[in-house]
Amino acid sequence: MLRHLLIAAAVAGTTLAFGPAPSAAAAAPLSADQLSHRLTAEVMGYLPYWELNDTTVAGLDYGRLTTIAFFSVGMDAAGHLDPTGPGYAALMSARATTVIDAAHAAGVRAIVSFTSFGAAKNAAFFSNAGAQATFVNEAATLVASRGLDGADLDVELISGAYFDAYAATAGSLTTRLRATNPIAYTTVATNANVSGAQMASRALAAGVGRAFMMGYNYRSAGSTPVGSIDPLVRAGGGLSLSTSLDLYVTEHVPLNRVLLGLPLYGRTWQTVDAAIRADRVAGTSGAVFFIRDLATLEAQGTVLATDMDTVESSARLVRTLGGLIYQTYYDSPASFVPKFGLVFGRGLAGVGFWALGYDRDPAYWDLVGATFGPPTITSVSIKPSPSNTRSVTVSIAWINHDRPATEMRLANGSGTFSAWRPVAAQTSWTLPASTVPVNRDVRVQLRDAADARSAVSSARVLFDPSRPVMTRLTLTWSTTLHAWQVRYSATDTGSGVGSYKIQIYRAGVWTLAVQVRTASVFTIQLPASAHFRVAVQARDRAANLSEVWSVSH
């Protein structure tokens, strides 16, 4: 599962330009309070130096990421970082500063991936304690100087004899980073077979925070039969995402510290026929393609099929081109669904992607949000509204994603949130006191068991403690109607007059003539000689009552 084999194909014939170096000092890493809580699982994405361009940067969905890893800064066998490499230049560029600043503004970590590829170089490095100390010192200095939140270590092609030294180096880097930043985030990128599981187990035991399992390239350019490069299960048996996680368990890797690495690229082979998982044509070699280029690929030749390999969970494109058959296997949002399910089913820390910029299709990130997003509040309402009492009922409606909402908290206006309380569709709440009518906002937020927090939603209620004031009450005989007419009015500075109550007193008894009336004139069908009293009281929309005015005949 070697990722560096893809790098040459990704950058071949490409001129890399990252812009000028940043002119200002980097910001500090995120504090614990600044970290985002928008997702219910971690979502990490590698940002390769060859993808650090305006298009990729503009398309980064910071709301669906928890960590961005700049890939990569290399080192030599003596442990010195390579300041002449394109990865270093990319990290030190103004464009990288834009990403770091935007990530930090969104509460998303920005880290750097340090890489060491090649068996000979790794043997020299991991057999030299001085070289390892040099690397830890220079790596920690770079992380601090760039205002980053941690580091990733990606070592590929290493003998098992050096696994302990590898783990000790990763652990030492973690310790060094956390000496100045207690929440420094560290990861190791490990392959999906036995050696990767052993490396992950040792590194995590040495104090590294996460292991990014590179769950891709299960099929390479020369594979036959062809098929998914990241099968959920392997048709006919063999290594797959599911069995790789089993290997990690066997090697005592705590899965709650594992990120499931998934590809945003696919592979195309020439095959002997159009059947699912057909044999590769002998003498040919499969080619990598990026998901963002899918439409271009579909336009080349004649499409025979676009379907799913439901066994391995992979999208498939079959074409004929020049009389030859080509099959492309890649992940669509639909094929990612059961793979994302491994995060919850196996208790993983989250997912990760190789690599940002390879997709450029918002449907993938919409799926990330739908799967790993926090509960979504759909409505908040307050009753009574308007209210003449500080004690109100707040009603909340929400949509759960893969983890249900467990707790809620509320706040008045811009004030401090309450303590978290069990989530409920309705809850009692107390508004701030006031002697005059005032609009009150109540803010609500939900979270799930993983502390993924919803966006804050709010509702407004008019708190109106003021009584309406009667301003007019007259009783006159209408010669036209041959009846008595009561005319009345009131004012209210808060919620407004909502209704009037009219009562008639006659022969020692009060009778309710009308309970709710908005008109300002009421006709009483009594003779001109009748003796009676009329009482009128105004009620505002917050249920406050005026004084009772009365008039007699």
Side-chain angles (χ1 to χ4, degrees), residues 390-415:
R390 294 173 58 201
S391 298
V392 295
T393 298
V394 180
S395 297
I396 307 153
W398 69 91
I399 298 172
N400 289 320
H401 294 297
D402 281 71
R403 285 194 171 118
T406 57
E407 292 182 304
M408 60 190 290
R409 62 180 182 174
L410 298 89
N412 283 311
S414 60

Side-chain angles (χ1 to χ4, degrees), residues 200-349:
S201 180
R202 287 169 168 79
L204 295 180
V208 175
R210 298 288 184 265
F212 180 99
M213 189 186 85
M214 295 184 284
Y216 36 83
N217 214 35
Y218 285 86
R219 287 187 174 92
S220 61
S223 293
T224 190
V226 304
S228 174
I229 63 171
D230 61 328
L232 180 66
V233 296
R234 191 71 168 260
L239 201 60
S240 66
L241 293 174
S242 300
T243 55
S244 291
L245 291 174
D246 292 339
L247 287 177
Y248 272 51
V249 171
T250 299
E251 294 296 333
H252 307 292
V253 177
L255 293 187
N256 64 351
R257 292 168 66 187
V258 172
L259 300 173
L260 180 67
L262 297 171
L264 293 174
Y265 71 94
R267 193 177 286 275
T268 300
W269 294 268
Q270 183 185 346
T271 59
V272 297
D273 57 41
I276 289 181
R277 298 185 298 278
D279 285 334
R280 173 181 53 86
V281 171
T284 63
S285 180
V288 167
F289 91 102
F290 301 148
I291 289 174
R292 69 185 183 212
D293 298 325
L294 181 61
T296 301
L297 204 65
E298 290 174 329
Q300 297 172 355
T302 301
V303 174
L304 299 179
T306 54
D307 55 19
M308 288 277 293
D309 181 346
T310 56
V311 174
E312 296 193 350
S313 191
S314 177
R316 185 179 75 122
L317 169 65
V318 185
R319 301 169 296 134
T320 59
L321 182 62
L324 305 175
I325 298 174
Y326 292 88
Q327 294 199 41
T328 300
Y329 288 81
Y330 64 97
D331 274 304
S332 65
S335 72
F336 267 152
V337 169
K339 295 170 184 177
F340 285 3
L342 291 173
V343 173
F344 300 106
R346 302 297 295 268
L348 305 181

